[in-house]
Amino acid sequence: MAKADQKIKMSPSRDIPFNKLVLSQSNVRRTKAGISIEDLAEDIARRKLLQSLNVRPILDADGQETGMFEVPAGGRRYRALELLVKQKRLAKIAPIPCIVSETGTEISAEEDSLAENVHRVALHPLDQFRVFETLREQGRSEEDIAAIFFVSVNVVKQRLRLAAVSPKLLDVYADDGMSLEQLMAFSVTADHARQEQVWENVNKSGYDEPYQIRRLLTERTVKASDKRARFVGLAAYEAAGGNVLRDLFEEDGGGWLEDFALLERLVAEKLRTEAEAIAAEGWKWIEVAASFPFGHDHGLRRLEGQPADLTAEEQASLDALQAEYTALQAKFEDADELPDEVDARLGELEAALDAFENRPCVFNPAEIVHAGAFVSIDAEGSLRIERGYVRREDETAFVAAAAEPESETGVATPGASDDDQGAPPAQRTVITVGGQAQADEEEDEDAIRPLPDRLVMELTAHRTLALRDAVASHPQVAMTALLHKLCVEVFHQTYGPGCLEAGVRHVQLPVQTPDLKDSASAKSIVDRHAAWKADVPGDDAALWDWLVALDDASRLSLLAHCVSFGVNALFEKVDRHGGAGITAHGLRRRLEQADRLAHSVGLDMAEAGWRPTVDNYLGRVTKSRILEAVRDAKGDGAAQLIDHLKKTEMTKEAERLLEGTGWLPEPLRLAEVASPSNDAGASAEPLPEFLSGDEEETSDTGESEQPHAVAAE
């Protein structure tokens, strides 16, 4: 007959006065973990003891129970109860729920202590997220939940954000189908459909890193650091109904603006409002845009305005600001780090002083009615107003007005000139106020010349030869004459015949990326030009005298600056039909000279700040070109990592891989310069690939396309 299994007998539970309990040295927990004893004591005081202590009777030398009990399992709870007793919030004889282990058992106290800690299963993070959400639905505030569970309010916000992710994705996370970091990335947006769409894409491709998930979720948004967002302001954008995506788990720079159309509308409305206020000053035209391309003011005369005089109150305010700024700088001159409040105050003072320094200039009202302004946003998100530009078609009227006596007031006021017809409301595109036809020009030059044209030409031919001979004998005069001519064209932007047939043609950039004007090269040119222009006299005669007085080093520096405006390294389509366009020979000659010039100055486009991005290169070439770039920069292994991706994903990942490598496409590389001995045979050699006549475009979607010609990229 089989022996029956012995029934399991549970250890008895009983209430034991706290002063009969002592902490056992057999407790295996030695390292602090979890919430503090103080927090645990507060939790016990609030909700009472949720789990009994595991105790064992203490025996005397004869093996008899002494009435005292040791606590091998539940030491942190014992310490928390002990703290409450010390605080007199719990009586020493308060009954404590305990599970009493039998004496004489073969299971040691250390084993009990270890089992209680090892067999405990931590709560799945998803369960915690959902409980926080349930508590909020029950009416608990985020602050209350944080206080109850001894965590920060930000942690509660994060957990609640995770609980709001698509239920489908939460189920995937619960089944260990994605990591917590991936789930955190999805919390950037509350759009469940978009979350599920992105997860399906990244899960299929295997390209499911958290940063990639965030990138895909925010690719249709505008960063809060974008100058348009800063110009409008997040408060105004949200007040208009716009939504801002924010990442509670990563530094997001203020988030992402989700409604691009709304942002564009708010930018246009605010710029239009600003332009309408400026139009009241009496300008003939105003051009309004969020951003203008580099060189947008080429060919326009710039009026020289004068800063408005400060009133007595303004001067006193300026002096006070300057004094406070100087005092703070002197006080903290030797400090390694400025206190936050001092740093903030210095920033406020600098902004106030800059406002005084950059206050609008005062222009002659007689000139304003023939000039205009550009209204845009600068790189910092502030309003940028460029006043005082005269278009070429307005030059005749402007010169005529300038010849008249200046206004007695010298202040730009609306209606200051009879020619000013008022300023209509500004538009987002070009606005012309008071547009007038140019005054009729009387072609009466012959009438004022006492001699026939042919005779004058013959006479001046003699003078020209004599003048050439004389100038050639005086190098300093020749350099002065050249610099004078170049400065007139570069700084005054006045073109036309003169006694010296030399000059710089401003090379325009008809095809350019939107960010070209913000590049390091563009900013350097603008800053250098502004520095020189501040010194260059506006009067022709004064300019000559100023150039004569310049030292040789300054002359050479100014000459280099002026000459640089004529540099042309642009690729153009070759004109094969004998028209006015550039020939193949002319293009080859231009690019060879550009290479030689680049070698002479040691130009490195990577060091100059150019890097391959989706917008400026990778998104506009074939997949084979993208893989070739990654292979050149990072090797075959890196190229193989992305060769299975679709074009959109491939371009973005290639941009990340190429960051910091210094890789450049062929047209930007520093080419080898041919030696003079090879020049004679250069014309017989075939054109390079990107100068060939093959202008056929290949598909951007096929998997086996032929590479584009470099010029088309």
Side-chain angles (χ1 to χ4, degrees):
M1 182 175 179
K3 184 178 180 181
D5 293 335
Q6 185 176 1
K7 299 296 184 181
I8 297 174
K9 183 180 179 182
M10 304 300 294
S11 298
S13 62
R14 54 187 284 196
D15 291 341
I16 301 175
F18 179 77
N19 60 355
K20 298 296 183 182
L21 303 175
V22 295
L23 187 61
S24 173
Q25 296 304 309
S26 300
N27 194 301
V28 299
R29 186 185 293 273
R30 295 287 187 268
T31 306
K32 292 182 179 180
I35 65 173
S36 67
I37 297 299
E38 291 77 10
D39 289 343
L40 181 57
E42 291 300 323
D43 190 70
I44 292 174
R46 179 178 180 275
R47 70 179 82 251
K48 309 305 181 287
L49 197 62
L50 297 180
Q51 184 179 355
S52 302
L53 302 181
N54 180 277
V55 302
R56 289 182 173 229
I58 298 177
L59 306 179
D60 58 17
D62 297 329
Q64 300 298 317
E65 294 186 7
T66 62
M68 297 294 292
F69 298 84
E70 62 177 352
V71 184
R76 298 182 74 252
R77 279 163 282 155
Y78 175 84
R79 290 294 191 192
L81 293 169
E82 184 180 44
L83 178 60
L84 292 174
V85 171
K86 289 181 179 179
Q87 295 174 347
K88 300 187 182 303
R89 300 167 68 186
L90 181 69
K92 292 182 179 180
I93 59 174
I96 307 300
C98 299
I99 302 296
V100 183
S101 298
E102 298 180 3
T103 58
T105 178
E106 61 181 9
I107 299 176
S108 66
E110 287 82 1
E111 186 177 343
D112 281 348
S113 178
L114 180 62
E116 184 181 72
N117 289 283
V118 172
H119 294 170
R120 180 184 303 160
V121 178
L123 190 67
H124 193 282
L126 183 57
D127 294 328
Q128 185 188 38
F129 308 158
R130 287 170 170 164
V131 170
F132 278 11
E133 188 174 38
T134 300
L135 291 176
R136 187 173 61 175
E137 292 172 353
Q138 292 175 352
R140 298 283 189 180
S141 67
E142 294 171 352
E143 291 74 14
D144 289 341
I145 298 173
I148 291 171
F149 293 99
F150 306 103
V151 295
S152 68
V153 175
N154 190 51
V155 169
V156 176
K157 291 179 182 290
Q158 291 175 343
R159 300 298 186 264
L160 291 173
R161 178 71 69 84
L162 290 173
V165 173
S166 166
K168 292 183 179 179
L169 299 189
L170 292 179
D171 290 341
V172 173
Y173 172 60
D175 294 336
D176 296 328
M178 73 168 63
S179 67
L180 178 59
E181 288 73 19
Q182 289 172 314
L183 185 68
M184 290 160 59
F186 280 107
S187 70
V188 169
T189 178
D191 187 342
H192 288 178
R194 180 62 178 155
Q195 291 172 349
E196 293 165 10
Q197 180 187 31
V198 169
W199 172 246
E200 183 178 0
N201 291 338
V202 300
N203 193 35
K204 286 181 179 179
S205 67
Y207 198 64
D208 56 0
E209 293 295 327
Y211 78 88
Q212 176 69 4
I213 294 172
R214 285 188 180 88
R215 178 185 294 179
L216 292 175
L217 289 171
T218 59
E219 65 180 353
R220 303 173 186 174
T221 63
V222 177
K223 287 186 176 180
S225 58
D226 186 275
K227 68 178 185 179
R228 293 165 297 180
R230 297 170 69 178
F231 176 67
V232 171
L234 290 185
Y237 168 79
E238 291 179 306
N243 183 45
V244 179
L245 304 181
R246 290 186 172 88
D247 192 338
L248 295 180
F249 301 93
E250 298 284 344
E251 176 59 43
D252 61 11
W256 299 266
L257 281 65
E258 195 171 23
D259 194 336
F260 177 74
L262 174 62
L263 176 63
E264 287 287 281
R265 178 172 65 82
L266 293 176
V267 169
E269 290 175 354
K270 187 172 182 179
L271 282 174
R272 187 179 301 113
T273 300
E274 298 288 353
E276 288 171 354
I278 298 167
E281 298 173 8
W283 301 104
K284 181 178 179 182
W285 55 266
I286 297 176
E287 286 193 14
V288 180
S291 180
F292 290 106
F294 178 71
H296 66 281
D297 56 351
H298 171 70
L300 304 183
R301 179 200 293 267
R302 184 74 185 271
L303 301 182
E304 297 293 339
Q306 299 296 326
D309 293 334
L310 295 175
T311 65
E313 293 180 357
E314 290 173 334
Q315 185 62 53
S317 177
L318 175 60
D319 293 341
L321 291 170
Q322 187 63 59
E324 183 181 358
Y325 184 81
T326 303
L328 284 176
Q329 278 193 321
K331 182 177 180 180
F332 295 94
E333 182 178 8
D334 299 327
D336 295 333
E337 185 174 356
L338 292 176
D340 292 342
E341 61 277 9
V342 174
D343 188 42
R345 181 54 182 164
L346 284 174
E348 294 172 356
L349 292 172
E350 289 174 355
L353 291 172
D354 286 342
F356 276 105
E357 182 68 24
N358 300 319
R359 64 190 185 279
C361 292
V362 174
F363 297 89
N364 186 341
E367 297 176 342
I368 283 182
V369 295
H370 303 293
F374 296 97
V375 178
S376 60
I377 307 172
D378 66 17
E380 302 300 322
S382 301
L383 183 68
R384 178 182 177 86
I385 305 172
E386 301 169 275
R387 294 177 172 87
Y389 287 90
V390 180
R391 289 171 170 163
R392 291 189 178 184
E393 60 266 28
D394 296 325
E395 279 288 342
T396 301
F398 174 80
V399 172
E404 298 176 358
E406 294 186 357
S407 169
E408 295 181 0
T409 62
V411 179
T413 57
S417 170
D418 293 337
D419 292 335
D420 184 15
Q421 299 180 1
Q427 303 173 13
R428 192 176 184 279
T429 54
V430 177
I431 298 173
T432 301
V433 179
Q436 301 173 338
Q438 294 184 355
D440 294 335
E441 297 182 12
E442 298 181 2
E443 301 293 342
D444 58 350
E445 293 183 358
D446 291 344
I448 63 174
R449 291 182 179 178
L451 299 174
D453 290 346
R454 177 62 181 268
L455 177 59
V456 174
M457 291 174 65
E458 291 175 354
L459 293 176
T460 54
H462 284 279
R463 187 170 184 268
T464 297
L465 285 179
L467 189 56
R468 285 182 183 176
D469 185 47
V471 169
S473 302
H474 296 79
Q476 291 297 325
V477 174
M479 178 176 286
T480 300
L482 177 59
L483 271 176
H484 181 273
K485 183 69 164 58
L486 297 181
C487 286
V488 167
E489 295 188 355
V490 171
F491 295 103
H492 301 169
Q493 296 188 357
T494 301
Y495 304 90
C499 74
L500 182 65
E501 291 296 324
V504 171
R505 292 184 179 180
H506 285 246
V507 179
Q508 293 302 291
L509 307 175
V511 179
Q512 58 178 271
T513 56
D515 61 347
L516 181 62
K517 67 180 183 305
D518 294 325
S519 66
S521 300
K523 292 178 180 178
S524 176
I525 291 172
V526 170
D527 292 345
R528 184 170 57 249
H529 189 74
W532 275 116
K533 189 167 185 177
D535 296 334
V536 173
D539 179 73
D540 245 21
L543 174 60
W544 179 274
D545 295 338
W546 180 76
L547 289 171
V548 170
L550 274 184
D551 59 85
D552 288 345
S554 298
R555 282 167 170 256
L556 289 174
S557 179
L558 179 57
L559 178 63
H561 174 68
C562 293
V563 169
S564 69
F565 278 80
V567 173
N568 185 353
L570 291 172
F571 173 86
E572 296 181 38
K573 288 187 176 180
V574 172
D575 186 349
R576 302 183 182 279
H577 305 289
I582 193 168
T583 64
H585 173 74
L587 180 58
R588 181 191 297 110
R589 185 167 179 267
R590 173 195 291 177
L591 297 181
E592 286 176 352
Q593 290 181 357
D595 288 338
R596 185 160 55 246
L597 189 61
H599 272 278
S600 298
V601 300
L603 177 65
D604 185 325
M605 288 299 297
E607 292 182 359
W610 191 92
R611 63 182 185 88
T613 67
V614 173
D615 293 332
N616 69 14
Y617 182 78
L618 299 169
R620 304 167 65 183
V621 299
T622 59
K623 293 175 68 174
S624 58
R625 283 282 186 186
I626 299 173
L627 293 173
E628 179 185 27
V630 174
R631 190 177 295 109
D632 288 347
K634 304 284 286 188
D636 290 335
Q640 291 173 2
L641 288 176
I642 65 172
D643 62 2
H644 66 286
L645 299 177
K646 292 183 179 180
K647 177 73 176 292
T648 302
E649 287 74 22
M650 180 183 289
T651 57
K652 295 176 181 178
E653 179 58 11
E655 178 179 334
R656 186 183 70 84
L657 291 172
L658 293 174
E659 179 68 29
T661 63
W663 181 86
L664 297 170
E666 184 180 346
L668 297 185
R669 296 174 187 171
L670 198 59
E672 293 296 329
V673 180
S675 61
S677 60
N678 296 331
D679 288 347
S683 60
E685 297 178 359
L687 287 172
E689 179 185 354
F690 70 95
L691 295 183
S692 66
D694 183 9
E695 298 179 359
E696 295 181 2
E697 297 183 357
T698 57
S699 171
D700 198 58
T701 59
E703 292 296 327
S704 59
E705 311 97 352
Q706 294 297 322
H708 281 287
V710 174
E713 298 171 359

